[in-house]
Amino acid sequence: MRRLLKAFPVIFFLFCSAFATMADDGASGNDKLLQQAEQLLVNYKDSEALVVFEKILEESEDNYVALCKASYLHCRIGDRYTDETKKLQHISKAREYANRAYALNPSDSESNYVMALSLGSQALVSGPKERLSSINQMKTFVDAALAANVEHAGAWHILGRWYFKMANLNFAEKMASKFLFGGVCGVASNKDAADAIERAITYNPKNIRYYYDLALIYSEMKEKEACMNTLTKALTLTLYTKEELELSRRCKIMLQEKKNT
């Protein structure tokens, strides 16, 4: 009995040490998976990266980084589908992960960014009332993302698209927004939209989507020279994905059209 009592502290210590080692292995395992997923994302392997981020969430459901990245990737991948069922599945998961990330850290730029991004994706597949509701909600999250990180290129891009949408609502949308939500959130103009996306380009000058969207805004504003300059810059970028190649093709067509008018 005395031997057992003497041995107990040693056994207890070994047990605690083993438990701590297991916990450390789990943490380091998640760190390795995060590094793997980030590397896949950098190499434009979105689907493979998403699989790894979701594997992390199976083991650690409150992993904040994985939640934000998985939400972002579901939005990006879902946008590529023409099949509405598959698109909706991705958007649903994007909203779920964004909500969970926001619950963990509501003041961080990334959680607010993926909330805004997922709302924007949801708006594209919603009916008129739901679409206006999502668009109205987006602004709060975009503002919070930029308040936390003023150099967040993605948030500036969303803000620019938001301004552009608000500035160009049709009559029916304006009336519906006024009736349902008391009007749009503040005053918006195409100039606001262009300024916001210019900021996005300042912080991430390699994203061809930003240039394409900015060119569309300048075209709407009848700013031909600014539009052509933006398209010319877009065509100097190095391209890696099918989406970027398609955007580059559209930029070439738009630039040629501007030259011919």
Side-chain angles (χ1 to χ4, degrees):
M1 183 66 178
R2 288 180 179 176
R3 289 180 181 177
L4 181 60
L5 290 173
K6 289 180 179 180
F8 182 77
V10 177
I11 295 170
F12 180 74
F13 173 76
L14 291 174
F15 175 78
C16 291
S17 298
F19 182 80
T21 301
M22 289 170 63
D24 289 343
D25 287 344
S28 61
N30 278 341
D31 288 342
K32 290 177 181 177
L33 286 174
L34 280 173
Q35 291 174 7
Q36 178 187 343
E38 292 285 3
Q39 190 59 47
L40 288 167
L41 190 55
V42 167
N43 291 324
Y44 304 96
K45 296 181 178 179
D46 292 356
S47 297
E48 294 92 330
L50 179 58
V51 169
V52 180
F53 282 124
E54 292 191 320
K55 182 178 179 180
I56 294 169
L57 292 172
E58 288 176 5
E59 300 174 2
S60 178
E61 63 181 16
D62 288 339
N63 189 299
Y64 177 72
V65 173
L67 285 169
C68 290
K69 296 293 187 179
S71 179
Y72 167 75
L73 284 169
H74 272 295
C75 286
R76 200 153 94 168
I77 293 170
D79 186 54
R80 297 169 187 161
Y81 281 98
T82 55
D83 180 87
E84 188 171 334
T85 300
K86 290 183 178 179
K87 185 184 287 286
L88 287 170
Q89 288 173 348
H90 281 289
I91 292 171
S92 177
K93 291 300 292 185
R95 293 285 292 122
E96 176 195 335
Y97 289 141
N99 284 326
R100 286 164 56 182
Y102 185 77
L104 289 172
N105 196 346
S107 61
D108 187 60
S109 60
E110 287 305 312
S111 62
N112 281 281
Y113 170 65
V114 293
M115 283 293 289
L117 188 64
S118 60
L119 281 166
S121 295
Q122 183 174 290
L124 294 175
V125 296
S126 299
K129 180 178 178 180
E130 293 79 8
R131 180 167 60 252
L132 285 172
S133 176
S134 295
I135 291 171
N136 272 270
Q137 291 178 63
M138 284 173 64
K139 183 65 160 52
T140 300
F141 295 110
V142 174
D143 287 345
L146 291 172
N149 178 10
V150 74
E151 297 183 3
H152 198 299
W156 279 112
H157 179 235
I158 292 178
L159 181 61
R161 289 170 66 96
W162 186 89
Y163 278 135
F164 187 63
K165 177 60 180 177
M166 291 298 101
N168 296 281
L169 290 176
N170 60 41
F171 179 77
E173 288 173 325
K174 288 179 180 178
M175 291 300 99
S177 181
K178 184 176 181 179
F179 176 75
L180 294 170
F181 311 109
V184 297
C185 303
V187 178
S189 68
N190 288 330
K191 178 65 165 56
D192 293 326
D195 289 346
I197 297 185
E198 286 279 12
R199 292 288 293 274
I201 291 172
T202 298
Y203 299 124
N204 183 1
K206 298 180 180 181
N207 191 319
I208 193 170
R209 164 62 69 178
Y210 299 170
Y211 292 89
Y212 178 70
D213 287 350
L214 181 60
L216 289 175
I217 295 168
Y218 279 134
S219 180
E220 180 68 22
M221 296 170 67
K222 312 300 183 186
E223 296 281 353
K224 182 178 178 179
E225 184 175 349
C227 179
M228 291 180 67
N229 287 339
T230 301
L231 292 167
T232 301
K233 290 176 184 177
L235 294 175
T236 67
L237 300 177
T238 303
L239 309 175
Y240 297 97
T241 68
K242 291 180 180 179
E243 288 81 4
E244 290 175 336
L245 288 169
E246 173 58 22
L247 287 169
S248 180
R249 185 186 71 83
R250 295 180 191 178
C251 287
K252 288 177 184 177
I253 293 172
M254 195 189 309
L255 182 58
Q256 190 59 48
E257 289 175 345
K258 293 298 177 184
K259 287 179 179 179
N260 294 337
T261 56

